[in-house]
Structure formats: C-alpha cells, structure tokens
Amino acid sequence: VAVTAAASSSSSSRQHVQGFELGKMGRVYGNGKGISSSALPYKRTPPSWLNVNPTEVEEQICKLAKKGLTPSQIGVILRDSHGIAQVKAVLGQKLFRLLKKNGLAPELPEDLYFLIKKAVSVRKHLERNRRDKDSKYRLILVESRIHRLARYYKRTKHLPPNWKYESSTASTLVA
C-alpha cells in the first residue's frame, strides 16, 4: 500500500493511503483522535546498569502473582521498585507468558475483567437510581465493549468458545 503526501495542499501534513486520509479516525466511545503512544526502545537487551538475575526476577513475579496482583500491577512494581523497565528484555519472555507457564495467569484477561467490573458497578448504581438515563446509556456502551472484546478473545483463543457475558452472572465473575 503506497503512502503519499497530500498533493492538493502543500501546507497539509496529512497523508493519504489510496484515497483514505490517515489520522482522521476517532475513538469509538470518546472524542479523541490522537495517535500518541509510548515507544519501546529499539535495543532488546536489558540496560548495562541493571544487575538482576533472571531466576530472581521470575521468583519475584511468581511471589507477587500469588499475592493476587494483576500482571500490570506486577509490571508497575518491577518498574518502580526494581528498575526493570521491560520484563521481556530480562527474561526473554513476556510477563503474561511466564504467569501462564507457572499456572498463575488470571482466568479472564485483565482489560475484560475491569470492563465487567465497571458494568457491575454501573448496574448496581442503576438499581438505586432508576431514572439516571446517562448511566443507562453508559452501561450500554460498556457492555458493547465487553461483547466486542470477548469476541476478540474467543477468536484468539484466550477465552473458551462457549464463554458468554451475562449481566445476571457478571458479579460472580468479578467477586
């Protein structure tokens, strides 16, 4: 696919891909149109100043997982307290794969878990405040995100093919 600069206006910094403008697509449930994100370092080896033993790091990760921390919380602790920016650079495998290998991976993917948790709290709020139309609308948006994410995880085999989100049993998933 050829990417060419916009020929119609020289001041425009937008790019076109076979008639489609890049950088115009917005978020599904928000107003943002940004493309900013963090970039991983090109160098895939751990920094020279980092003197950690991979087996110690693996034990630390397993210990934190047994405490009940999520993979992202483990990553934050390793980054902030131990100076390990990327677990993959130290261990040669990603944090989630390590947890899966040791049987400590959460049964629900983290992003799906927190969406379900949000839906449960919004539904609980709606039980107390029946006339809150905005929350009802937000619940619809959150649940559609849950369905879309579940469809993706079924396709990538992170969830069993018969897994289904049901609002009546959702509170037991996040309890």
Side-chain angles (χ1 to χ4, degrees):
V1 175
V3 177
T4 59
S8 58
S9 63
S10 59
S11 64
S12 176
S13 63
R14 292 191 183 119
Q15 293 182 339
H16 293 275
V17 178
Q18 292 183 350
F20 295 103
E21 265 188 58
L22 292 178
K24 291 278 282 185
M25 178 86 77
R27 301 282 173 261
V28 178
Y29 297 113
N31 299 326
K33 291 189 175 76
I35 57 166
S36 64
S37 61
S38 59
L40 293 178
Y42 179 72
K43 202 170 150 189
R44 291 188 179 95
T45 56
S48 57
W49 48 264
L50 186 65
N51 296 322
V52 290
N53 188 359
T55 55
E56 290 174 9
V57 174
E58 195 171 331
E59 289 170 9
Q60 182 75 19
I61 290 170
C62 292
K63 190 170 78 173
L64 291 169
K66 284 174 186 165
K67 277 187 186 175
L69 296 174
T70 63
S72 60
Q73 289 172 326
I74 294 170
V76 167
I77 288 170
L78 290 175
R79 183 196 67 201
D80 296 344
S81 303
H82 303 286
I84 301 168
Q86 292 295 318
V87 173
K88 189 178 179 187
V90 176
L91 296 178
Q93 61 182 336
K94 291 189 174 185
L95 195 143
F96 188 77
R97 287 221 176 114
L98 175 75
L99 292 176
K100 209 171 185 180
K101 185 180 83 176
N102 291 318
L104 297 167
E107 70 250 10
L108 275 179
E110 200 174 342
D111 48 357
L112 185 63
Y113 172 82
F114 283 112
L115 278 175
I116 292 172
K117 194 172 179 183
K118 183 185 275 191
V120 166
S121 70
V122 172
R123 197 169 284 280
K124 194 190 229 178
H125 167 80
L126 276 172
E127 285 173 10
R128 291 188 313 263
N129 307 287
R130 291 225 179 263
R131 295 177 61 206
D132 191 350
K133 301 291 182 200
D134 185 60
S135 290
K136 188 177 180 183
Y137 174 68
R138 298 294 163 201
L139 177 66
I140 292 167
L141 295 184
V142 169
E143 287 188 339
S144 66
R145 259 184 279 173
I146 290 170
H147 292 303
R148 188 181 326 125
L149 203 54
R151 203 166 52 233
Y152 164 76
Y153 281 129
K154 284 180 198 174
R155 193 173 64 237
T156 57
K157 307 222 180 351
H158 283 85
L159 284 176
N162 61 351
W163 190 89
K164 190 168 170 56
Y165 170 77
E166 291 169 358
S167 56
S168 56
T169 59
S171 58
T172 58
L173 288 172
V174 295

